[in-house]
Amino acid sequence: MNLAPRQTRTGEVRGDHRVVASLVPIGARVLDIGSEDGALLDHLVRQRQVDGRGVELSQVGVNRCVARGLSVIQGDADKDLADYPNDAFDVVILSQTLQATREPKKVMRELLRIGKQVVVSIPNFAHWRNRMQLLFRGRMPVTKYLPYEWYDTPNIHFCSLRDFVELCRELDADVEKAIALSGRGNKIPVNAPWWVWNIVAEQAVFLLKR
Amino acid sequence: MPADSNTPAALNDVKANEAETPSSRLVRFPAEDPLELDSGTRLGPWQIAYETYGTLNAEKSNAILVCHALTGDQYVASTNPVTGKPGWWQLMVGPGKPIDTDHYFVICANVLGGCLGTTGPATINPETGTPYGLDLPVITIRDMVRSQARLVDHLGIETLFAVIGGSMGGMQVLQWAASYPDRVFAAVPIAAAARHTSQNIAFHEVGRQAIMADPNWRGGNYIGDNVRPTKGLAVARMAAHVTYMSDESLHQKFGRNLQDRENLTFGFDADFQIESYLRHQGMTFVDRFDANSYLYVTRAMDYFDLSQEFDGVLPNAFEKTATRFCVMSFTSDWLFPTSESRRVVKALNAVAANVSFVEIESDRGHDSFLLDVPEMFETIQGFMTGAAHARGIPAPGEKA
């Protein structure tokens, strides 16, 4: 259920995947939620030698993952995380999926319960292009990175980077690392205070700990 | 349906011979080396008939055990000596197939209680010199698995690379993973369940009653009387066969089409194609299967509830398992529906086991696992490759 548009040709590692992978220790036990076609999980297995599992909403995606040798089950972040025991994984990854869940806060709580570390990547709804579209056109933002109209978007719970950091605080989760990315998934190589990132970053990757 | 006189005597002889001295490989265990059964009895002497394909590597790390379903046999990829038909899973097992016998060493054994060479009700009871009939203790899925473990011991194999099977074969896979977690590297239960449901038991009971209602069944002693309860067994097969197909596949294949006639006959002949088809299924089945075996093996499935030996908690069956699982179901299978596979997946998740779960779109019902379903083959191939990498053995097409 990874909802970011595909930005790379096959074989190329997506920018945000590379950033996520850099946060995962070699050989870790990993659960990747929203595995899509298994690109990230495959990258992690090959490059970081992880013991990887995946959960993917679409059956087509799951079948593709398993056919490429990955351990993936069909499941739903909103419903199926409750099955896992506490501390089941070293790292739990939720990439570009939180905004599409029914209960993001509950999902976050589950992630922090089953993973010793949690990596979450989210689109930043407060990106300046979105702000401009709302401000000047008075329309819900539609961008290359978030291409859906308001009536057909699977993204039902958007937040800004600031909102997300606030949620982490409420959940008592420590933000160990936060990396701002462009829409294409490239790191934004400037040191800037939070409020700047909240304007210029199209997405961000967070490393959290309970 | 055939009267007994129509059943070729020669065929019955073939069947009887196959029960005692099968054409396949065979291991005999003497009375001093009995098999402990769940019923509390000891079975001995006993024997297990099996086939192998491919070559066991020097490290003995490439062995795959295939578990067959209710009416299957050890001839997974070679000609069945009774029917003369090709192996029942040649689409899956063979050179260059998803379970590649150029690469893996494949073992398939006739189940305990069966009728093609492993000890079953048609086997001669050494105490009486006549076939066991109902004197054979009731067999369970765990007993079948125990007997297979003894065979695997006999072959000198410590850990199986994979155990794979559909339907009742999948039940054995789950039992293997629960009973011998260290001996199963990868487990593939297809169209299976961790328990037989009330509906499953109900259908089996219909079949058993049909057999036992046949006057030729004679309390299970028909072999000595040289008769066969073919009518009862055929009806049992007909009822069961319906459960293996989906409403949609039946409708597509037969609809309401009439059999070799223009109009309804206003009688009880096989007017409809589906009737004719089922009668044919029933008739051919009695030529290759023993009625008492049908009773025993269906009973084993009915008794199966894996959670029972684990205080009713299914996840406990897989506690600390290191086995890699690939659970598979089919959308139109109403006999072993996806919900039962999901129950297994849920239990495996509860212990954070390594599990893949695939539900495959197929309109052909429970039998899908035996048919040409490309998505199933792709999934198995991918899973086997991933497992081979994890096990440190080359996958098919890779160099050692």
Side-chain angles (χ1 to χ4, degrees):
Chain A
M1 198 174 58
N2 190 316
L3 299 167
R6 298 224 203 158
Q7 295 139 333
T8 58
R9 291 186 296 275
T10 33
E12 230 174 281
V13 180
R14 233 166 67 182
D16 58 325
H17 285 176
R18 202 173 286 133
V19 172
V20 168
S22 72
L23 299 174
V24 175
I26 305 260
R29 199 175 153 93
V30 173
L31 179 67
D32 175 32
I33 301 158
S35 302
E36 208 185 25
D37 63 356
L40 172 61
L41 199 55
D42 195 50
H43 180 65
L44 289 170
V45 169
R46 283 169 200 278
Q47 300 302 318
R48 313 296 287 182
Q49 292 83 47
V50 303
D51 174 9
R53 324 284 163 78
V55 179
E56 164 61 30
L57 188 64
S58 95
Q59 192 59 59
V60 178
V62 175
N63 297 10
R64 237 180 249 152
C65 289
V66 177
R68 69 198 276 185
L70 301 168
S71 301
V72 174
I73 64 164
Q74 197 277 331
D76 183 335
D78 272 308
K79 284 190 298 200
D80 297 318
L81 299 182
D83 295 344
Y84 294 95
N86 297 348
D87 288 331
F89 299 94
D90 298 321
V91 183
V92 176
I93 300 168
L94 185 75
S95 55
Q96 308 287 341
T97 301
L98 189 66
Q99 76 282 358
T101 62
R102 281 191 171 278
E103 296 184 72
K105 191 172 178 182
K106 200 174 125 200
V107 169
M108 283 299 299
R109 210 175 269 135
E110 289 288 21
L111 298 179
L112 290 160
R113 180 183 67 78
I114 63 182
K116 292 170 192 148
Q117 289 192 310
V118 175
V119 176
V120 180
S121 75
I122 53 162
N124 176 24
F125 199 65
H127 182 252
W128 66 268
R129 248 190 227 107
N130 295 349
R131 295 183 189 216
M132 291 298 134
Q133 287 195 28
L134 255 177
L135 185 61
F136 293 114
R137 292 177 64 217
R139 302 279 308 269
M140 284 301 280
V142 178
T143 62
K144 225 182 190 172
Y145 174 57
L146 296 170
Y148 302 99
E149 293 287 350
W150 65 273
Y151 46 78
D152 66 5
T153 182
N155 300 322
I156 52 177
H157 281 124
F158 271 127
C159 66
S160 70
L161 300 187
R162 266 204 144 138
D163 290 328
F164 183 74
V165 171
E166 183 56 33
L167 175 65
C168 293
R169 217 175 48 86
E170 252 181 73
L171 292 169
D172 267 335
D174 292 335
V175 178
E176 300 237 307
K177 260 184 199 166
I179 300 159
L181 301 177
S182 71
R184 303 172 66 96
N186 298 321
K187 271 191 212 182
I188 300 176
V190 284
N191 277 326
W194 259 110
W195 66 268
V196 178
W197 283 16
N198 205 27
I199 296 173
V200 300
E202 257 176 300
Q203 53 176 324
V205 179
F206 294 86
L207 175 65
L208 310 174
K209 232 179 179 175
R210 231 171 309 157
Chain B
M1 256 165 286
D4 294 310
S5 53
N6 295 345
T7 309
L11 204 57
N12 267 331
D13 287 348
V14 173
K15 244 186 352 185
N17 288 341
E18 288 296 330
E20 277 303 316
T21 48
S23 317
S24 66
R25 293 159 196 263
L26 180 71
V27 193
R28 291 181 205 272
F29 294 87
E32 310 79 70
D33 200 2
L35 191 66
E36 309 268 347
L37 302 179
D38 276 342
S39 60
T41 41
R42 292 171 152 205
L43 185 64
W46 65 284
Q47 63 184 41
I48 185 162
Y50 67 102
E51 282 284 72
T52 69
Y53 309 85
T55 314
L56 187 62
N57 63 15
E59 299 79 29
K60 301 189 173 182
S61 60
N62 68 335
I64 296 177
L65 178 71
V66 175
C67 300
H68 71 73
L70 169 58
T71 68
D73 49 55
Q74 65 269 46
Y75 303 101
V76 58
S78 50
T79 308
N80 178 309
V82 178
T83 62
K85 285 192 177 156
W88 55 270
W89 221 9
Q90 285 200 346
L91 291 168
M92 182 71 88
V93 181
K97 295 288 158 62
I99 297 174
D100 191 345
T101 51
D102 285 339
H103 203 79
Y104 299 114
F105 178 64
V106 174
I107 309 158
C108 185
N110 188 212
V111 294
L112 202 63
C115 51
L116 281 182
T118 299
T119 300
T123 307
I124 303 293
N125 180 349
E127 278 175 25
T128 62
T130 57
Y132 273 107
L134 295 199
D135 288 339
L136 185 78
V138 164
I139 303 294
T140 65
I141 297 290
R142 187 157 68 162
D143 293 334
M144 293 174 182
V145 167
R146 277 194 192 107
S147 73
Q148 292 159 2
R150 296 285 292 276
L151 170 64
V152 172
D153 290 341
H154 171 83
L155 296 172
I157 297 163
E158 178 52 38
T159 303
L160 292 161
F161 170 59
V163 183
I164 175 169
S167 195
M168 185 184 84
M171 291 176 161
Q172 294 162 64
V173 172
L174 294 171
Q175 184 70 61
W176 257 101
S179 294
Y180 308 101
D182 301 335
R183 304 190 70 178
V184 183
F185 188 78
V188 187
I190 306 173
R195 61 173 179 197
H196 227 207
T197 64
S198 188
Q199 191 192 37
N200 294 146
I201 297 167
F203 279 116
H204 275 174
E205 176 60 1
V206 170
R208 284 191 295 264
Q209 286 302 324
I211 291 167
M212 294 190 280
D214 187 321
N216 281 347
W217 181 61
R218 306 200 180 173
N221 295 320
Y222 49 85
I223 296 181
D225 294 354
N226 207 25
V227 291
R228 299 287 182 276
T230 50
K231 289 179 182 169
L233 181 58
V235 171
R237 177 62 169 181
M238 289 167 74
H241 197 85
V242 177
T243 68
Y244 303 152
M245 300 176 75
S246 69
D247 186 26
E248 198 182 339
S249 63
L250 280 177
H251 193 74
Q252 271 176 11
K253 213 165 168 179
F254 308 108
R256 292 184 52 83
N257 299 342
L258 300 182
Q259 179 69 27
D260 303 329
R261 62 200 68 191
E262 297 291 309
N263 298 300
L264 299 174
T265 61
F266 290 87
F268 297 98
D269 267 0
D271 275 354
F272 294 101
Q273 278 180 8
I274 178 64
E275 293 174 301
S276 167
Y277 170 79
L278 280 183
R279 289 183 189 194
H280 174 77
Q281 290 297 328
M283 271 190 323
T284 51
F285 183 62
V286 300
D287 289 341
R288 71 175 177 90
F289 212 82
D290 175 59
N292 282 337
S293 265
Y294 197 84
L295 301 182
Y296 275 88
V297 181
T298 54
R299 204 63 182 144
M301 291 177 78
D302 291 351
Y303 277 11
F304 186 62
D305 178 0
L306 187 56
S307 67
Q308 227 175 20
E309 55 175 303
F310 298 94
D311 308 320
V313 184
L314 189 56
N316 290 355
F318 308 114
E319 191 82 61
K320 298 202 171 94
T321 184
T323 303
R324 299 164 72 93
F325 289 83
C326 180
V327 180
M328 196 183 284
S329 69
F330 299 94
T331 48
S332 59
D333 183 352
W334 54 274
L335 195 62
F336 288 81
T338 292
S339 53
E340 288 297 317
S341 283
R342 262 187 201 290
R343 223 180 128 247
V344 173
V345 172
K346 231 174 147 58
L348 288 166
N349 280 343
V351 295
N354 189 323
V355 54
S356 292
F357 167 57
V358 173
E359 183 189 33
I360 287 172
E361 185 94 26
S362 163
D363 60 10
R364 298 164 87 178
H366 182 58
D367 263 351
S368 296
F369 78 95
L370 295 167
L371 303 174
D372 186 11
V373 180
E375 216 178 340
M376 166 173 68
F377 301 138
E378 277 162 36
T379 303
I380 298 289
Q381 199 149 27
F383 175 76
M384 296 304 272
T385 300
H389 290 161
R391 178 97 165 109
I393 57 177
E398 295 171 356
K399 287 205 177 126

